[in-house]
Amino acid sequence: MSWAALFVALAVGASGSVAADGDRYRVVKVTHYGQHHHKTKRACKRHGDRHCRSYAQWRMGPARGPQPVVRPAPPTGTPPSPTPTPPPSPTPLPSRTSVDLTDDDDNGWQVAPAYTELKAGPVEFNATNLGMDDHDFSIRRTTTALATIPLLPGESGTLQITLTPGVYTLYCSVATHESRGMRADITIRESG
């Protein structure tokens, strides 16, 4: 059988046929240049291969045009029941937080904790005086003061204390600082 006859047989036999899996195919010409199988003549000239010439190969490729639509068979019997979505797991509460004490007249005097809900048990507060005045970092529950650490301007300090569930107030106990806004409430909760 000659090459021409083989090509005609492939072209005629494959151009409109449907394969066993339902895909259509057509004959595609793939051209390579040189022994390195470049896709363009320019790539061949770029690396200096003077012996490059066109090699054409005929292959079976996917057909162009609309593809057959495969529709799923309609369900039979009872529809499957939806599986219940499990409840989201609670995010763990932190056991430490940073607290910034500021006395800026433009933005206000404030005690700003990074977290306002913490886990019951040992809690660590990392307080920093970002203001221009002396401050202290204090914590109380209702009217009972629990701990205080003094902080000079730019100074940082750490306070470790064991807290039970409830609402606590973080504040500066120097003169009128609390009344000027240097206070914040935090909630201590059991985790889980």
Side-chain angles (χ1 to χ4, degrees):
M1 180 179 250
S2 70
W3 287 104
L6 179 61
F7 173 70
V8 170
L10 283 174
V12 170
S15 64
S17 66
V18 177
D21 60 355
D23 293 334
R24 294 180 155 284
Y25 289 96
R26 64 184 176 88
V27 177
V28 179
K29 180 181 178 184
V30 179
T31 304
H32 296 286
Y33 295 93
Q35 54 187 323
H36 303 288
H37 299 286
H38 300 296
K39 300 295 182 201
T40 64
K41 277 187 179 180
R42 180 175 180 204
C44 227
K45 290 178 182 176
R46 188 175 347 160
H47 81 282
D49 188 356
R50 284 183 251 146
H51 302 290
C52 292
R53 57 187 172 149
S54 175
Y55 295 98
Q57 294 177 338
W58 295 91
R59 296 185 182 161
M60 300 297 283
R64 293 184 185 154
Q67 298 293 322
V69 177
V70 178
R71 292 186 178 18
T76 58
T78 60
S81 62
T83 57
T85 304
S89 61
T91 57
L93 294 171
S95 61
R96 72 175 142 196
T97 185
S98 63
V99 181
D100 294 336
L101 290 89
T102 58
D103 56 14
D104 184 6
D105 287 327
D106 295 330
N107 297 320
W109 291 50
Q110 58 186 338
V111 173
Y115 296 102
T116 56
E117 290 189 2
L118 299 166
K119 181 171 63 168
V123 178
E124 181 178 304
F125 295 96
N126 298 310
T128 304
N129 181 355
L130 300 175
M132 304 283 275
D133 296 333
D134 292 351
H135 295 294
D136 64 31
F137 172 71
S138 302
I139 183 168
R140 74 170 175 242
R141 185 168 189 179
T142 59
T143 59
T144 307
L146 301 175
T148 298
I149 56 172
L151 298 169
L152 297 174
E155 191 177 39
S156 295
T158 300
L159 173 66
Q160 294 179 339
I161 187 169
T162 301
L163 301 175
T164 57
V167 177
Y168 294 82
T169 301
L170 308 178
Y171 67 102
C172 177
S173 65
V174 174
T176 60
H177 292 190
E178 184 179 3
S179 63
R180 295 179 85 174
M182 292 192 76
R183 70 181 305 270
D185 290 332
I186 61 167
T187 303
I188 304 297
R189 293 188 307 144
E190 293 289 340
S191 68

